[in-house]
Structures are given as C-alpha cells and as structure tokens.
Amino acid sequence: MAEVIDNSKLEPDSEVSQQMIISFSGKPYFYISKQITILGCNNAFAELMHIPKNKLIGADLDHTGHNQHFNNSIHKAISGGVSIFRGNILLGNDLQEIYLDAVLMNIGSEINSGQNIICYVIESNIPANDTTKVSVEKENLSSGLYNNTDSFVSVYTPDGQVVYTSGSIEFILGYSQNDDQVLDPQNYVYPEDEFIVENAIQKLYSGNGYINARYRMARKDGSIVNVETSGYLITDKLNNTSHVINVTRDLTFLTENKNSVKLSEQKYLKLLMNLPAGVSLIGRNGNLMEVNGYMKNIMGLSLSAPDKEINFFKIGEMEKSGITGQLKKCLQLKEVVSSEISYYSARMGKEIFLSYSFLPVIDNQGDVEAVISYVYDHTEHKTEESENRERSDFLNLVINTIKLPFFVKNEYHKWVILNNAAIEMMGSSREGLIGKSDYDLYPKAQADIFWQYDEKVFTEGSSVNEEQITWSDGTLHTILTHKQLYVDMLTGKKFIVGAIHDISNYKKIENDLRTSEMKYRELFDNANDFIITTDLDGNVTNANRTFLNYLKIDIETITKLNVYNYTSEHDKEFVLGLKDKILAGLLDYSFEVNSISLDGKPITYEIKASLINEDEKTIGIQCVFSDITESKISRLLLEKYNTDLQELNTTKDKFFSIIAHDLRNPYSSMIGFSELLLEDLEELSKDEIRDSLKIIHSSAKNSLNLLENLLAWSRLETGHMHFDPSKVVLAEMVDEVVNVLFSLAYRKKIEINNLVGSDVFLYSDKNMLNTILNNLVMNAIKFTPIGGEINIYATKLAAEPESDKQFFKISVADNGIGMDALFCKQLFSRSKLISSPGTEKEQGTGMGLLLTREMVERHGGIISAESTPGKGSVFSFLIPAFDSTKN
C-alpha cells in the first residue's frame, strides 16, 4: 500500500514540511534541499543505511568532486523534474560511502522554481566498494544517469505520459530514446502477455502501490525477450498519484543461468550416485545428509535405508573399523583427515582394506557445517595383489631353474620376463632390461633383424631362428632361438615366449667357410643405400634388404623387374648411354639420375656402377643408389645464395664507387669554386660570383640528395626503416612534394599539375610515399626542358580476384627528352645502376630509382616506366587503396 507521510513527524524547521509530500509504497527515500543537504528521510532508509535518522538529517552531500555526479543528477531533476542516479555517494564528512540506485524528483509546485528534491531508493543492498557497482558507476560518469545494459527505467505521469526512459532500452529492446518519446514501452509487450501487464497495472492503481510482473516483450527486430518489471506508485500527501516508476530487467541471462545450474546439479547428483567409491555428506552431529549406494555397501547398510535417518557414529561397521574416530578428528581439528585402514569384518568373513578422506565444510563463522567423506574399498585389489605375488614368486622360481636363457616379450617387442641365465647372457641388471627393446641394447641393423623375427612370431605363431648376438663378455655368439606366441585369454594381449640355445661351437666351422660371403652379404643387406645387380639387359638379379624394404616387396618379385622401369622417360636415353660407357670401361665416376619415388615425388639418385665378372666374362652390373635429393637441393640453394651474394657484392661495389666518385666530384667542385671566390672575390664581377655560387649550390644539393638516398637505401636493406602504413590523402601528399620542389621547377619554367582527385585515399607509409614521389618528380624536372610540363594523376584498378585487394596506379608524366626501350628496361636493376645528365647537365647516380623501387615493393606494388625519345616519359607505381572495412 502507498504510504502517506505525516507532516507532524518531520522536523519543524525542515523546509520540506511546507511542501507537497509524496511517498513511495514503503520504499526507502530521503529529501534533499537545493543546497544538497538531507532534510528528512523515512525509517526504511535509516534502517537500510544502518545510521540513525538524527545523524542523517542535516548531512551535507555537496562534497566537491566525490559527489559531483550525484549533484549533476540533482540539478537535472530541478530543471527537468526527474532524473535517475546510480552510483556511490558520501553521506557527511564522517559517514560511510554507500551505493544508491535511485529516482530523483522535484516536489516543488513549479518545476523550474528550484524546490526540494526527493530521492526514492530502488536498490542499495550492495557495498559501495563492490567492483561491479564501481565499474557501472565509471561507465556513467559522463551523465550520472542510470544506463545499465541489463535493465531500463521509465517514469510516467498519471495520465500515461512518458517523462523519462533510460538509454539502456536500446540495448534491451533496440529502440532509441527518440523512439521512446513517441512510444510507451508498454506498447512493446508481446500480444499474448498483454493481459499480464493490464492485471499488474490494475493491481498497482487499486492500492497496492507496488507490483512485480514477469512477461515477454518484442524487440525492434521482432525477437522476443523475457523481462521482469517492478512498478512503483508515487503519491502525494493526499494519496493522489504523482508518478509511476517502472524498472524493467532482461531475464535472458538469469533464465539461462538457472537452467545451467539445474542441469549441473542433476549431472553432479547422477555422477555422485554412480561413482565407484563411497561418497557421503555428513552433518556435524553425524547424521547422513547425502550418501551413494557404494558407501551404503561399505557401511553394511541396505540400499533402501533412508539417508537422513542414519547417524554415521552409530554404524557398527564404521565404528569397528575406527573410521568414526577419524571423522571426530576431522570435526575437532577442522582440517582434512586421510589415511588407510584394515580390519576383519565378521559380516563379510574376511579382512577389509579401506582408504578414506574427510573434508570439512567451514561456514562463515569458522565452524564445521558438514563433512564430505570419500571411502574406497581396496579389498579385492589387495586380494588379487597377494594372489598375483604368490603366482609370480612361483613362476620366477620355475624359470630361474632353467639353465638356458629364457625370456618373454610383449606385443611392443619389450622384455617383460628374463630368467637369470638371460640376465647373465646380456650382462646387465634385471631392472636395466625389463621394459627395454632390442633397439635399446643392440645396433640398429642387428635390432632390425630381431624385430623381423619377432614379427614373424606374431604373424605365424612360432619361429625357430638362428641369430647373431653379442654376449655380455663381448664375444659374438650364434644362437638358435625358439619362439612361441602366447595370447592371454582375458585381455587378448600377445606375448613372445622364447628360449635361446648357444650353437656357436657347432657353427664355427661353417662360419669360417662362409665368412667372406656373409660379410659381403651383411654389408649388402644392411647398407643404407639401395644396392641392386642387373644383367646386361637391365633385368634385376639381386637387391639388398634396404631396397626391398623401401619397395615393400621380396627378392622373388624384384627379380622379375627391369631397372629401366624406375627411370623417367626423359633420362632413359641418357642411362642407356651410360651403360655403354660402363661396358667400355670409360665410366669410373658416379652419375645422377632423376626418378620418381613410391609416393610420386621426384627424387635424385647418385649412382656408382661397377661391372660383375665371372670366369673373366662380364655378366652384369652392380649399382649403388644413394638418395641425394636433399643434398642436391641444398647445393642448388647454395649456388643461388652464391649468385645472390655476388650480385649484392656487385651492388655494394657500385655503391662504394658512387661514394668514392660521385660524392667526391660535387665536393671537389664546391671546394674549387669556393677557393676561387675567396682568392679573387675583389676582382670577380657579380655575374661571375653568382655563377660560382650557383655551381656550389647545385653541387651541395646533389650531394645532399645522394646522401639521403644512400642512407634511406641502407636503412631499408638493414631493416632499420620501419614500415608503418596508414590512411593517406594522395592529393595532399602530392601538394607537399610539389611545394618542396617548386624552386627547381621554377628555374626551368616547368609547370607541375596535380591532377589527383580529393577522394583518392591510400594505405601507405607516409615517409616512404613522400620519398617515392619526391624522386620521381625530381627526375621528371631533371629530364624536362625549359617551359615543359609535368602531370601527376591516379587511376583506381580493379580488385585482385585472389586477395580482393585494390590498388591505385599513380603516374608521373613529363614531356621531356625521353629514353629508348633498352635504357628504360635497365632503370630499376639492382645489379646495374645507370644514370644520364639532365637537360641542364644535372648529374645523378640512378640510386633514387632503385630506392623508389624498393619502397614500392614494400607496399606490395610494382613500378614501371614507359618512354619515347623526344616525347617524354611516364613513371607509374601501384599503392594499395585504403579500405575502411579492413584497415
């Protein structure tokens, strides 16, 4: 119900007692004079602030700087009748800082009379130093108005006229404040929810003074948003409605958040109840608040037993195990208690092994509110562990009784079991061998063989192999290895079970006879290069293992192939010619052949070929193929680097020549003519002095221009010239360059025309663009005769289809002496700097054009020149257009 303020309860000296008093349905409010002093407040505001009314009344809020934004809102209410404030204010010099979300209204009889202000507090339950509120206040510093993006405030007169709507309506509904001056926010109500709003309005005007309603509103784009509106009825002392204040909040995030929390709780509860471990929530008195089925099983309780009727301290199984004592310890110490425990369970008739953890939940007063318990039953694992240990001990006893080396490998070819004889044979500790493979102990070539033998067991089920192995004493032994495949019935894992017989003594005589052949074969098979032998027609007669593995075929298959099948058509004639040279004994060096690898990539082999003779007759050719693709690429790159380096050295030498010759000559001229002036000044005429000064001035200017270009080129080459592109108005840049070079053009009576439109915007480095234009315009002046003309214009090119990037073509055209096609083609070469004297014998080095090319290319553009002798030249370059959507 709306509250009517009794004037008799206000302070007699209060100015507000003589004014119209209005109330806000019991909401906190306080009165402020035009001097920004609190004149009065209701009990609700004093209770909210936790400050006695007598201490609040008379409090001065005019704190310069701190309450400035609140003061701005006061003055806005005085002039406009109503304003909204959201932020922190300081109540008095010795009072606390508070946060207010309030409506400020002028309660005077005349809006512009500067009467007293009443502040209705909508919300003030958040501390003033709360970071969220502070950030909101900082966002509103410019106006001091409530403009939050998750809610908006609207104020109406009794006849429905909109007095104020906060700008945040645009964030929620998409309408601007200009729209609000015409439309009532209630007009945005979703049609199906209009009855909710109508009922709320009727309830508000029926005497409730305050309503709260949830409904849907339609945004400007047609989408729907869920909102909640709090309506406040403001009445005067005669209980007549003065204003209506609505605060409408966007509930989208709140709805999503509630659904997310509800889903998370459901997932958490489902996870908790299905964990393979005992989890429970225990109150400080021992009552079970939550408990899953696994925990009930550990406690010896029925799954249907009601949780909240069970006390943890009274469960016999837990008390007997001593776990209840650990819970008491957790409650007493207020810290986590974890350990393991074992006891004999009469109920289960066996020893029980449990691990547990008790985690206290501490409330705001520092007391234990509840305890989370986690208990896991390790009984089965402990039993299995004991049984497995017994079986393992018996197995070790059996296999260590065997005097022959005995081993077991897993499917990854790693040893998992080795008896004492095998350990002694390998000469290492058991710990140093278990979990290792042949590659960890033997050379790769030897380990490759062992690996292949093991793979044979996995594919065929068993194998008997003769293998060469190095014994622990360093001697090489020939062994006969019997291997059998074993598959675990439960897990399906595969193991190799093997026994080793040392047959070195039996093989000694045979090995002595075949040593030479075996050495050759070992080198042949284990070579990293491909080795093949062919007959004189190119048919393959043999190949080493490396080549067979590469082709993934066996020796029987490869001997059906011809070596020319692996030679490209382009090189076949060359290879056949090499064959003739080999047979003639004229080829004793390696050669290269281009081929195609199995994956279709080009590959280069270096081949060393030699003849195979038998009974003094040549029967074939042996070829060793070495893959030199990478080394060839590296060699070619190195050659390119050498070429580039030579070019750079040539350029460097040219630059040194420029410095040594072209830079010295101007200084020689300046020194010579300055000495002439010093020695014969009294005897020279003014015209002679003027001519000498012109020569000195021209030489100094050419020297400075050369030095500037050399320094700029040096910075470009060494990476010290930063590239910083931005938006550039080309017409303005051309004007700057023309103004700088005006004196040069004026002397030769050359007219320079800036034909660039004002709408040409480039994305360019300003300094580089200035240098480019300066060099090209200066060159045009240099090669244009007296009375000539230079035009500068720009043309926009079509966007590149690949990158969607647009360029402007900027051109500098003159009607000068021009040049022939050959000279024009060499203008931008780094390896050959060229120059020719201008129409007035002006000297140059060609350095400026090289620098110009480098800077244009830094922009991603190109530079070109077109010229006709006697008719003039056009120098054009491309610069990216400025794109406001990307740059």
Side-chain angles (χ1 to χ4, degrees):
M1 291 290 292
E3 177 186 2
V4 179
I5 302 300
D6 185 356
N7 287 350
S8 63
K9 295 181 182 180
L10 295 174
E11 289 69 11
D13 58 344
S14 173
E15 295 181 23
V16 78
S17 62
Q18 305 302 321
Q19 304 297 333
M20 178 176 63
I21 308 301
I22 57 178
S23 64
F24 192 27
S25 185
K27 282 285 183 176
Y29 60 82
F30 61 101
Y31 300 84
I32 307 169
S33 70
K34 59 185 178 181
Q35 289 78 24
I36 322 297
T37 302
I38 296 180
L39 298 176
C41 66
N42 65 349
N43 293 331
F45 181 75
E47 292 172 1
L48 184 63
M49 298 297 102
H50 302 291
I51 301 174
K53 288 179 62 175
N54 60 357
K55 198 171 184 180
L56 284 169
I57 296 174
D60 179 16
L61 301 183
D62 191 13
H63 294 278
T64 303
H66 189 87
N67 289 341
Q68 182 62 44
H69 305 295
F70 180 72
N71 295 350
N72 292 342
S73 294
I74 293 293
H75 292 302
K76 188 179 188 310
I78 292 173
S79 62
V82 64
S83 68
I84 307 298
F85 175 78
R86 191 180 194 189
N88 297 338
I89 67 171
L90 186 66
L91 292 177
N93 295 326
D94 58 344
L95 298 181
Q96 65 181 1
E97 186 180 27
I98 63 170
Y99 170 80
L100 287 182
D101 187 351
V103 179
L104 287 68
M105 301 189 68
N106 188 329
I107 60 174
S109 57
E110 296 180 8
I111 289 180
N112 294 322
S113 63
Q115 301 299 325
N116 301 311
I117 301 298
I118 186 169
C119 296
Y120 288 113
V121 180
I122 297 173
E123 179 183 5
S124 183
N125 58 352
I126 300 177
N129 62 350
D130 182 82
T131 55
T132 303
K133 293 301 182 184
V134 171
S135 66
V136 172
E137 183 184 17
K138 287 180 178 178
E139 291 173 1
N140 300 321
L141 288 180
S142 61
S143 65
L145 299 181
Y146 175 48
N147 197 22
N148 194 16
T149 58
D150 61 356
S151 60
F152 66 89
V153 175
S154 51
V155 182
Y156 306 85
T157 59
D159 59 359
Q161 181 181 357
V162 179
V163 176
Y164 172 80
T165 301
S166 61
S168 54
I169 190 173
E170 184 172 356
F171 294 98
I172 299 173
L173 298 181
Y175 293 94
S176 68
Q177 287 180 299
N178 293 330
D179 295 328
D180 299 336
Q181 293 173 4
V182 179
L183 299 176
D184 183 342
Q186 293 180 0
N187 294 336
Y188 314 148
V189 177
Y190 190 62
E192 295 182 6
D193 292 352
E194 288 180 353
F195 74 96
I196 299 175
V197 177
E198 292 173 357
N199 292 339
I201 294 174
Q202 292 177 4
K203 184 178 178 182
L204 182 66
Y205 281 101
S206 65
N208 286 316
Y210 166 76
I211 56 96
N212 193 70
R214 291 190 177 186
Y215 56 97
R216 292 170 292 178
M217 298 185 82
R219 292 190 176 103
K220 191 172 184 178
D221 61 5
S223 60
I224 305 301
V225 58
N226 292 307
V227 299
E228 179 182 62
T229 296
S230 298
Y232 305 91
L233 193 65
I234 300 178
T235 61
D236 58 19
K237 67 178 182 177
L238 299 178
N239 208 26
N240 295 321
T241 300
S242 172
H243 288 84
V244 178
I245 299 177
N246 286 342
V247 180
T248 302
R249 293 178 172 84
D250 184 352
L251 298 180
T252 304
F253 175 76
L254 178 62
T255 303
E256 293 176 352
N257 192 40
K258 285 183 177 180
N259 293 337
S260 177
V261 171
K262 184 177 180 181
L263 181 60
S264 297
E265 289 177 349
Q266 292 174 350
K267 290 181 178 179
Y268 165 75
L269 185 60
K270 184 176 181 181
L271 175 64
L272 177 68
M273 292 305 155
N274 292 281
L275 278 176
V279 181
S280 60
L281 182 63
I282 307 169
R284 71 177 79 188
N285 57 358
N287 290 336
L288 293 181
M289 301 166 67
E290 295 286 350
V291 60
N292 67 353
Y294 193 97
M295 188 68 177
K296 286 184 177 180
N297 186 55
I298 294 175
M299 294 175 176
L301 302 173
S302 170
L303 293 178
S304 61
D307 299 348
K308 298 184 179 179
E309 296 180 8
I310 303 172
N311 190 287
F312 191 86
F313 294 120
K314 297 179 180 180
I315 301 174
E317 197 81 6
M318 297 293 95
E319 187 175 7
K320 182 177 181 180
S321 67
I323 292 183
T324 55
Q326 299 302 312
L327 174 58
K328 292 177 181 179
K329 181 179 178 181
C330 175
L331 291 168
Q332 180 182 2
L333 299 178
K334 301 180 182 180
E335 61 183 29
V336 177
V337 176
S338 301
S339 187
E340 294 183 354
I341 197 168
S342 64
Y343 67 97
Y344 181 79
S345 173
R347 176 177 63 87
M348 302 185 70
K350 62 180 179 180
E351 190 79 8
I352 302 299
F353 298 90
L354 302 176
S355 63
Y356 62 88
S357 291
F358 292 109
L359 293 83
V361 180
I362 309 299
D363 60 18
N364 294 334
Q365 286 72 37
D367 298 325
V368 178
E369 183 177 353
V371 174
I372 300 173
S373 73
Y374 178 92
V375 182
Y376 188 79
D377 187 350
H378 298 278
T379 305
E380 285 189 26
H381 296 153
K382 292 283 186 180
T383 302
E384 291 177 0
E385 183 180 333
S386 177
E387 293 175 353
N388 289 337
R389 189 181 299 111
E390 291 178 0
R391 287 196 295 267
S392 177
D393 291 343
F394 178 74
L395 178 61
N396 287 334
L397 177 64
V398 172
I399 65 173
N400 285 321
T401 304
I402 302 173
K403 299 304 179 183
L404 294 175
F406 174 85
F407 64 88
V408 177
K409 289 183 176 181
N410 62 17
E411 55 192 333
Y412 304 109
H413 300 243
K414 295 183 177 182
W415 284 292
V416 293
I417 297 176
L418 290 161
N419 70 347
N420 292 339
I423 296 295
E424 182 181 355
M425 176 192 74
M426 296 184 181
S428 183
S429 65
R430 193 180 305 276
E431 293 75 15
L433 294 172
I434 297 299
K436 302 291 181 64
S437 70
D438 293 311
Y439 286 101
D440 298 316
L441 301 174
Y442 301 108
K444 181 180 182 302
Q446 195 171 20
D448 284 341
I449 298 172
F450 297 157
W451 187 283
Q452 292 176 22
Y453 289 152
D454 289 347
E455 284 296 316
K456 186 177 180 181
V457 177
F458 288 129
T459 57
E460 300 180 7
S462 64
S463 71
V464 179
N465 304 310
E466 283 189 15
E467 303 173 11
Q468 293 291 323
I469 191 170
T470 303
W471 225 254
S472 60
D473 59 2
T475 58
L476 185 66
H477 289 248
T478 301
I479 59 174
L480 189 64
T481 305
H482 295 263
K483 300 176 183 177
Q484 186 71 37
L485 179 65
Y486 170 77
V487 182
D488 189 286
M489 299 294 292
L490 295 177
T491 63
K493 292 182 177 180
K494 297 179 180 181
F495 298 89
I496 297 174
V497 180
I500 299 173
H501 299 266
D502 185 2
I503 58 172
S504 298
N505 292 333
Y506 303 105
K507 301 293 293 184
K508 189 174 185 307
I509 297 175
E510 181 182 354
N511 289 342
D512 290 342
L513 295 175
R514 299 176 58 189
T515 297
S516 179
E517 180 182 351
M518 289 182 63
K519 285 182 178 179
Y520 166 77
R521 190 66 202 179
E522 185 174 350
L523 291 173
F524 184 84
D525 279 339
N526 295 318
N528 291 327
D529 295 329
F530 301 153
I531 304 176
I532 61 172
T533 60
T534 69
D535 60 18
L536 298 179
D537 296 323
N539 297 310
V540 178
T541 57
N542 200 356
N544 71 338
R545 185 178 293 111
T546 305
F547 194 43
L548 296 176
N549 291 340
Y550 171 73
L551 297 177
K552 298 181 181 179
I553 58 177
D554 53 28
I555 191 65
E556 289 78 13
T557 302
I558 199 171
T559 52
K560 298 176 182 179
L561 303 177
N562 189 286
V563 71
Y564 300 120
N565 294 337
Y566 295 92
T567 305
S568 64
E569 290 295 329
H570 179 267
D571 292 327
K572 271 190 178 181
E573 184 177 350
F574 169 72
V575 173
L576 290 172
L578 291 175
K579 170 193 167 185
D580 294 337
K581 289 184 178 181
I582 294 171
L583 294 176
L586 301 176
L587 186 65
D588 57 355
Y589 54 87
S590 60
F591 56 90
E592 295 180 5
V593 172
N594 296 319
S595 184
I596 304 298
S597 65
L598 293 181
D599 56 4
K601 295 181 180 179
I603 189 170
T604 301
Y605 290 108
E606 181 182 65
I607 302 177
K608 179 66 177 178
S610 58
L611 297 175
I612 300 175
N613 296 314
E614 185 177 300
D615 297 331
E616 299 182 355
K617 181 181 179 182
T618 300
I619 62 171
I621 300 172
Q622 175 178 284
C623 295
V624 179
F625 291 75
S626 300
D627 183 356
I628 61 167
T629 306
E630 292 186 5
S631 62
K632 182 178 180 180
I633 293 174
S634 299
R635 187 180 73 245
L636 293 175
L637 284 175
L638 183 59
E639 291 175 356
K640 182 180 181 303
Y641 293 154
N642 287 334
T643 302
D644 293 343
L645 183 59
Q646 289 175 1
E647 182 179 340
L648 286 174
N649 281 333
T650 301
T651 304
K652 178 200 68 176
D653 293 341
K654 178 65 177 178
F655 292 151
F656 285 165
S657 174
I658 291 170
I659 295 172
H661 180 270
D662 296 339
L663 193 58
R664 187 194 309 170
N665 287 342
Y667 280 104
S668 298
S669 297
M670 286 188 288
I671 293 171
F673 280 95
S674 62
E675 286 179 350
L676 178 64
L677 288 174
L678 289 173
E679 292 175 359
D680 301 327
L681 181 62
E682 300 298 332
E683 301 175 3
L684 295 174
S685 66
K686 288 185 178 181
D687 290 338
E688 290 174 329
I689 294 174
R690 184 180 294 106
D691 292 340
S692 297
L693 289 175
K694 284 182 179 180
I695 295 172
I696 293 174
H697 177 267
S698 176
S699 298
K701 192 171 185 64
N702 289 336
S703 299
L704 178 61
N705 184 57
L706 175 59
L707 281 174
E708 287 178 346
N709 283 335
L710 283 171
L711 290 173
W713 180 86
S714 175
R715 289 197 298 273
L716 270 176
E717 292 297 304
T718 58
H720 289 89
M721 179 175 286
H722 297 293
F723 180 65
D724 186 18
S726 61
K727 182 179 179 181
V728 176
V729 181
L730 180 58
E732 296 177 359
M733 182 64 70
V734 172
D735 283 340
E736 290 180 15
V737 172
V738 171
N739 289 336
V740 171
L741 300 177
F742 173 76
S743 60
L744 293 179
Y746 180 77
R747 291 192 190 99
K748 298 179 71 173
K749 295 182 175 55
I750 295 173
E751 182 179 354
I752 302 178
N753 300 312
N754 183 358
L755 304 180
V756 178
S758 60
D759 59 344
V760 177
F761 303 113
L762 305 181
Y763 188 61
S764 170
D765 183 291
K766 290 184 177 180
N767 293 329
M768 289 190 182
L769 182 59
N770 183 282
T771 301
I772 294 169
L773 291 169
N774 187 78
N775 278 327
L776 293 181
V777 174
M778 187 180 293
N779 262 11
I781 294 172
K782 175 181 175 181
F783 294 104
T784 300
I786 294 174
E789 183 181 45
I790 298 173
N791 293 318
I792 304 170
Y793 53 91
T795 306
K796 194 170 187 178
L797 305 181
E800 296 180 353
E802 297 83 1
S803 63
D804 196 29
K805 192 172 184 180
Q806 270 193 318
F807 285 84
F808 272 102
K809 181 179 180 181
I810 300 101
S811 300
V812 178
D814 63 63
N815 59 354
I817 60 177
M819 57 193 129
D820 59 36
L822 178 61
F823 193 88
C824 187
K825 185 177 180 180
Q826 297 174 343
L827 281 176
F828 303 105
S829 173
R830 288 190 61 170
S831 60
K832 186 176 183 181
L833 296 177
I834 62 174
S835 178
S836 62
T839 58
E840 297 298 311
K841 308 302 180 181
E842 300 99 326
Q843 296 300 315
T845 63
M847 186 68 196
L849 287 180
L850 174 60
L851 180 62
T852 299
R853 191 201 76 173
E854 297 278 358
M855 291 184 173
V856 170
E857 291 177 352
R858 284 293 296 272
H859 285 78
I862 57 175
I863 186 169
S864 61
E866 298 177 5
S867 183
T868 302
K871 293 185 178 181
S873 304
V874 180
F875 285 78
S876 301
F877 61 97
L878 304 185
I879 296 293
F882 179 79
D883 187 347
S884 59
T885 64
K886 297 181 180 179
N887 302 118

